[in-house]
Amino acid sequence: MQMGTIRRVLVANRGEIALRIIRACHELRLEAVAVYSSTEADADHVQAADDAFALPPFESLAYLNIDAIVEIALRSGANAVHPGYGFLAENAAFARAVEAAGLIFIGPPAESIEQMGDKIAARAIAIKAGIQPVPGTTEPIPDAESAIVWANQHGYPVAIKASGGGGGRGFRVAHAERDVPTAFEGSRGEAERYFVNPNVYLERYLLQPRHIEVQVFADAHGHVVAFPERDCSIQRRHQKLIEESPSPAVSPELRDRLGQAAVDLTRSVDYRGAGTIEFLLDESGEFYFLEMNTRIQVEHTITEMVTGIDLVKEQIRVADGQPLSFTENEIVARGWAFEARINAEDAGHHFAPFSGRITRYEEPAGFGVRVDAALGEGGAVAPEFDSLIAKLVVWGRDRDEALARLRRTLHDFKIEGVPTTIPFHLNVVDHEAFVAGRASTTFITDYPDVLPDAQAVVAATGDEMREPKALIVEVNGRRFDVAVRGGSQSPESGVSPRSRKKRDRRDREHATHNGNDLISSVQGTVIRIAVEQGAAVETGDLICVVEAMKMENELTSHRSGTVTELSVDVGSSIKIGGPVAVISD
């Protein structure tokens, strides 16, 4: 299909989504311009683009520098800007700045971003469109005391959420009154840091719901369509790890209702482009509006796999003023698809993120297999960005075939140099509850046996992480894969993550302390300290928050006692195994 106005697109993002957009541009015979921070001059998205420009240093993060990105777009000769996801993708001020410069913003109108970006306002819009949101407040909550009053009236647990949030950020859960002050301050602080909007609101925290979302698309010619749903229930820290489409819990009748609700809401805000309506589905089959994401989603890949429609190219076409290239009747789900997010995280240590260089990288291949990645062997997982290494996407004619293909490709995916979530994914795909299609947002809590042994071994000195070394040995003519760990402890070995006997889960839970000493399980920057020296604490009380790779990690007390020593300050850096506090009798 010939393009009209758009001829050269600046991609205001990085990593696998930037590479994904660049490839879509090239298929449409458009030129693509990349931007990059000072540490990413040789990144894959830079190499793939037709032109690339360095971003100047910025007090927060180079990819958030609106003025610089717009200036580079104009200087590069681009006449359109694609924001990808994350960073500035749902920033109405960025959309307005792009359009004010005479450029085309490949996304929804700034007004739509503004309307749906404020989660409190979005709840009111949903109600007006006839869609029931999760029960909660209709105004921002000013302080923890007000949150306690509402929660005591409506019952626990309650979710405290950032009004301008998304992607699991600014989201805390209080299970009892004593949890509210810490949850409130954590949510508000994260909201202000990531979204420059400290407002938070409350919702009832539904027990064991499924997270179901519907991809919507609208053009400037009055067409609005919904795609088959995605089930994104396997999560950690309210962020997704495994997604599938369609959902094993959604009947054809429910699918029609979800799709109609999504279309009605999309029409009500005069939307254009790609968006996602997110719902919670309770055990009775009732669904509730959660939020709308005004951008392409990380998991758009599985919708593409089951429908055969390239959603990124469709975004560009719609921004070019063209009608949708398909009709509602042409949106037919064929087969089943899964996406597993391969993150540089140690699931055995509370999904602690890790930065470092990838020393081995071998992608799986074969029929029905897709890998979206922008890092390879020798590439570095940088501490200033999130921990995503790759998205493994598979398709099958039915759920069983797709799941078998996911299991096989996870075994075939070889990454060394940093711990990854692959062992966790392997445990999930073999778990009887997941195989049977039973999943909820509390899956990891409900089935803690899916958490693998910790991959990182903290040395006694507290300042070194040793990775397992992969060796191949032969015994009586038979090969075995063996993992050997260095350090002062005795080596461990095993033929595979599945056949190795699991250590007692308590070993993992207590991996962040040594007697009275609380030590850090992550490397990062201390952004908040919740206690003072001399304070009395109980087991599980928050001691401090460490930011690592765009993820906030709460370090909690491992015992009841008195904080006799605090070894960290706000703004200080801490290493894995570094001292945090001493908690004595």
Side-chain angles (χ1 to χ4, degrees), residues 35 44 99 130 238 270 290 304 432:
V35 292
D44 283 4
E99 292 175 349
H238 314 294
D270 193 25
L290 188 61
E304 292 180 330
E432 61 175 354

Side-chain angles (χ1 to χ4, degrees), residues 240-273:
K240 303 157 190 172
L241 289 168
I242 300 176
E243 303 99 347
E244 61 182 297
S245 181
S247 168
V250 173
S251 65
E253 183 271 335
L254 179 55
R255 181 168 298 118
D256 289 343
R257 289 172 56 210
L258 285 165
Q260 189 59 57
V263 166
D264 290 345
L265 183 58
T266 304
R267 285 192 184 280
S268 73
V269 291
D270 193 25
Y271 199 78
R272 185 177 67 246

Side-chain angles (χ1 to χ4, degrees), residues 144-165:
E145 291 73 21
S146 301
I148 289 172
V149 170
W150 190 92
N152 286 342
Q153 289 175 345
H154 294 83
Y156 291 91
V158 296
I160 303 173
K161 304 177 72 173
S163 178

Side-chain angles (χ1 to χ4, degrees), residues 210 231 233-234 244 248-249 399 431-440 443 446-447:
R210 283 184 181 263
D231 193 319
S233 298
I234 306 296
E244 61 182 297
R399 191 174 190 269
H431 197 280
E432 61 175 354
F434 187 77
V435 171
R438 301 194 308 271
S440 75
F443 186 87
D446 296 338
Y447 304 105

Side-chain angles (χ1 to χ4, degrees), residues 146-210:
S146 301
I148 289 172
V149 170
W150 190 92
N152 286 342
Q153 289 175 345
H154 294 83
Y156 291 91
V158 296
I160 303 173
K161 304 177 72 173
S163 178
R169 304 198 185 281
F171 189 137
R172 298 289 189 278
V173 177
H175 293 275
E177 182 175 324
R178 68 186 297 267
D179 301 332
V180 173
T182 297
F184 180 86
E185 291 303 323
S187 179
R188 185 169 64 176
E190 198 171 27
E192 190 161 22
R193 282 189 295 276
Y194 288 106
F195 310 112
V196 202
N197 178 357
N199 288 338
V200 298
Y201 66 101
L202 302 186
E203 281 182 350
R204 282 298 309 276
Y205 186 68
L206 301 182
L207 298 176
Q208 297 184 310
R210 283 184 181 263

Side-chain angles (χ1 to χ4, degrees), residues 388-408:
L388 182 67
I389 296 174
K391 302 185 312 193
L392 172 59
V393 188
V394 300
W395 178 89
R397 289 171 296 175
D398 55 30
R399 191 174 190 269
D400 288 344
E401 184 176 69
L403 191 56
R405 186 159 289 143
L406 178 60
R407 184 180 296 110
R408 187 268 297 175

